Amino acid sequence: MEKKWGNKKSVDLKKMCPQQKARYLAYAEPSKEVQAWIAASNQRILSRLAHERKKTCVKNPTQDQNTKVNHDTLIGQLKAAEARNRIRQMRLQYHNLKMQEINLMISSQASVQSAVRLQLLLATEKQRNNADCLDQLQRRRVEEILDDEKGLTIIRR
């Protein structure tokens, strides 16, 4: 059974509950007054879009220069930041390689005493990057090793 959406009398619309009336009017043709308002609003939208297109096509030359200057400034700032970052990375890499070389030299010493002496000699380099990493007990032990002239504390063969 197919329902036909023909013209309902205004009396029938008044008898319907609001939900039924809304369902019926959703499929009904809008009145001539509503169609006129829809056409007017569509025309206003189209004229507004046309006006916006004209505005974007015809730009003010001073505004165009300002945007170009801002763009160039931004690009310059980005390039400077990249250069600073590259320099910082190179410095970090240099210091890391230098610390690796120092650690290799210290670890390849013939005795612990000479290794500790070399480490203290080169301590100024290490202190740039690292804080003092020895606690009181370790520092006392290192001083004890350094004071031992005969190598009695640590015998290395």
Side-chain angles (χ1 to χ4, degrees):
M1 187 157 97
E2 187 177 312
K3 193 171 195 182
K4 293 185 180 179
W5 295 100
N7 287 337
K8 287 256 184 181
K9 295 179 183 175
S10 61
V11 176
D12 291 342
L13 286 175
K14 289 180 184 176
K15 289 181 183 177
M16 292 182 187
C17 68
Q19 290 87 359
Q20 286 177 332
K21 189 188 287 187
R23 281 189 214 124
Y24 176 77
L25 292 176
Y27 293 102
E29 283 288 322
S31 66
K32 297 220 185 259
E33 184 182 351
V34 172
Q35 286 178 352
W37 284 109
I38 290 172
S41 66
N42 285 338
Q43 189 173 2
R44 281 196 311 268
I45 290 170
L46 291 175
S47 67
R48 177 75 176 196
L49 289 173
H51 181 67
E52 289 294 323
R53 283 190 202 119
K54 282 183 184 177
K55 191 185 265 187
T56 57
C57 289
V58 181
K59 284 190 175 180
N60 193 355
T62 57
Q63 184 183 13
D64 191 33
Q65 288 176 349
N66 287 340
T67 57
K68 186 177 181 186
V69 168
N70 290 341
H71 187 265
D72 291 345
T73 304
L74 181 62
I75 288 176
Q77 289 173 349
L78 287 173
K79 286 183 178 181
E82 287 175 353
R84 283 192 302 269
N85 193 29
R86 279 195 305 271
I87 290 171
R88 187 179 67 79
Q89 291 291 334
M90 285 174 48
R91 275 193 199 123
L92 286 173
Q93 185 179 10
Y94 170 76
H95 286 296
N96 286 337
L97 289 174
K98 194 172 185 180
M99 296 312 298
Q100 286 176 0
E101 282 290 322
I102 290 171
N103 289 336
L104 181 65
M105 285 173 47
I106 290 171
S107 66
S108 64
Q109 293 299 311
S111 68
V112 173
Q113 190 173 12
S114 60
V116 171
R117 282 187 180 154
L118 181 62
Q119 185 175 10
L120 289 175
L121 180 66
L122 300 174
T124 56
E125 279 299 317
K126 281 195 167 188
Q127 286 176 356
R128 279 190 203 165
N129 293 335
N130 301 333
D132 189 17
C133 59
L134 297 177
D135 60 2
Q136 288 180 350
L137 182 64
Q138 290 172 334
R139 180 154 308 282
R140 195 174 323 126
R141 180 79 173 134
V142 167
E143 288 173 1
E144 191 178 299
I145 292 171
L146 286 174
D147 290 339
D148 184 17
E149 293 293 327
K150 296 180 181 177
L152 299 175
T153 306
I154 297 176
I155 299 173
R156 197 170 205 197
R157 293 176 197 231

